[in-house]
């Protein structure tokens, strides 16, 4: 029987999606983009320090009895394994060697990536972005609406990482303080009131970037009929197809051989 080579072990990756509110994980078949297990979810420790989040990640590894490759999505700029921002997590993450810390947990391959970039990779490869995931696919902008606003920008199937478009200011207010899902919930806004804010935000991005396609992701994409009627855009507007699993699947992709949008 042939020895189990590297390629054979890299088809299953534990994807971990660290969010401002919850940490979700599942074992992913990265060739199919499918979860092979149920997802485990634990609340993000507060304050969301590196120590707190890494102890939560260790709990997750124990829950899955996992000893294999790990891909992790973080709600921060991630450059060469170092987290460089902290909008909805503790400021200790700024300049933190997250990849180095993750490597201490396993001898298997690991990777970390921005959470919205992870969700975008998953949608491009397996979800709503699939028809545009090729060398003439044009400009695809994925926006995730959740605790914060994340973005993933693709040009002809290639990711431009760490775009952080949730932080642009419109009328002097940061977009994620006005159009994230939690802001609607916190203020008790109607879908229309919130939808008009999302519309203003997406129209601004459309003016700046002229995307061919805009994919709206985050858990709220499952309620698209409630707010899509208020979105008036030139680009082809799509709801993400992979829902809340996109972050987990994309994080796993980033660690696997299929990392990248293609
Ligand atoms: C962070 C991004 C992240 C987004 C969604 C923003 O506050 O700056 O890095 O992708 O939230 O979690």
């Amino acid at each position: 029987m042939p020895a189990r080579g590297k390629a054979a072990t890299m088809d299953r990756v534990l994807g971990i999606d660290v969010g401002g509110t919850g940490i979700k994980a599942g074992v992913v078949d990265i060739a199919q983009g499918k979860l092979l297990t149920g997802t485990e979810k634990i609340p993000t420790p507060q304050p969301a320090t590196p120590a707190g989040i890494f102890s939560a990640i260790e709990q997750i590894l124990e829950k899955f009895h996992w000893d294999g490759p790990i891909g992790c999505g973080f709600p921060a700029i991630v450059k060469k394994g170092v987290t460089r921002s902290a909008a909805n997590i503790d400021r200790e993450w700024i300049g933190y060697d997250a990849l180095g810390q993750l490597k201490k947990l396993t001898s298997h391959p690991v990777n970390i990536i921005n959470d919205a970039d992870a969700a975008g990779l998953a949608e491009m490869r397996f979800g709503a972005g699939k028809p545009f995931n090729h060398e003439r696919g044009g400009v695809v902008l994925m926006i995730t609406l959740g605790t914060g606003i994340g973005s993933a920008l693709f040009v002809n199937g290639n990711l431009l990482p760490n775009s952080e478009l949730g932080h642009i200011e419109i009328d002097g207010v940061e977009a994620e303080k006005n159009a994230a899902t939690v802001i609607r919930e916190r203020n008790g806004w109607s879908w229309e009131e919130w939808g008009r804010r999302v519309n203003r935000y997406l129209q601004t991005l459309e003016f700046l970037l002229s995307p061919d396609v805009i994919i709206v992701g985050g858990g709220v994409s499952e309620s698209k009929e409630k707010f899509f009627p208020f979105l008036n855009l030139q680009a082809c507007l799509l709801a993400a197809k992979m829902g809340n699993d996109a972050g987990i699947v994309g994080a796993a992709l980033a660690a696997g051989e299929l990392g990248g949008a293609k």
Side-chain angles (χ1 to χ4, degrees):
M1 199 163 110
R4 227 172 123 75
K6 196 172 174 204
T9 58
M10 281 300 282
D11 51 8
R12 288 162 171 238
V13 176
L14 181 69
I16 305 177
D17 182 14
V18 177
T21 312
I23 302 177
K24 292 170 289 181
V27 178
V28 178
D29 174 336
I30 59 169
Q32 304 294 323
K34 290 214 160 62
L35 279 161
L36 297 168
T37 59
T39 54
E40 289 283 350
K41 182 169 179 181
I42 50 180
T44 305
Q46 297 301 336
T49 56
I53 289 182
F54 270 100
S55 112
I57 289 176
E58 283 183 52
Q59 282 175 42
I60 283 173
L61 297 187
E62 278 164 27
K63 281 190 179 175
F64 283 97
H65 306 290
W66 187 249
D67 180 28
I70 302 169
C72 206
F74 277 90
I77 295 170
V78 182
K79 285 287 265 188
K80 299 193 172 117
V82 175
T83 42
R84 296 266 174 222
S85 64
N88 293 302
I89 48 177
D90 193 86
R91 292 187 64 78
E92 272 185 41
W93 284 96
I94 299 174
Y96 185 80
D97 179 12
L99 184 61
Q101 196 59 33
L102 198 57
K103 279 183 180 163
K104 290 185 189 161
L105 302 182
T106 175
S107 54
H108 294 271
V110 294
N111 202 2
I112 76 164
I113 179 174
N114 170 264
D115 60 349
D117 285 345
L121 287 175
E123 284 295 336
M124 289 299 280
R125 186 158 177 94
F126 301 109
K130 204 171 164 187
F132 314 98
N133 191 24
H134 57 83
E135 58 192 17
R136 296 172 75 175
V139 176
V140 179
L141 172 64
M142 162 119 176
I143 293 296
T144 63
L145 301 170
T147 311
I149 294 183
S151 59
L153 192 57
F154 296 86
V155 182
N156 296 333
N158 297 306
L159 173 67
L160 185 155
N162 294 310
S163 52
E164 292 292 333
L165 296 170
H167 296 287
I168 63 159
E169 282 189 17
I170 300 174
D171 302 332
V173 182
E174 222 182 332
E176 81 168 14
K177 301 273 183 290
N178 204 21
T181 305
V182 289
I183 304 295
R184 183 185 69 79
E185 292 161 357
R186 208 173 283 159
N187 291 319
W189 286 336
S190 67
W191 286 99
E192 176 168 0
E193 191 162 359
W194 179 72
R196 293 197 187 286
R197 288 163 198 261
V198 175
N199 185 46
R200 171 106 163 87
Y201 171 54
L202 294 180
Q203 282 186 343
T204 304
L205 292 183
E206 177 157 70
F207 174 73
L208 294 172
L209 297 165
S210 298
D212 300 293
V213 181
I214 298 177
I215 303 174
V216 177
V220 77
S221 58
E222 282 155 21
S223 307
K224 69 168 188 173
E225 68 292 342
K226 298 199 173 118
F227 67 102
F228 270 31
F230 308 111
L231 307 183
N232 181 13
L233 299 153
Q234 305 292 314
C236 165
L237 179 69
L238 300 172
K241 278 194 184 156
M242 304 187 62
N244 269 326
D245 294 344
I248 299 174
V249 172
L253 283 181
E257 291 175 331
L258 299 177
K262 291 185 178 171

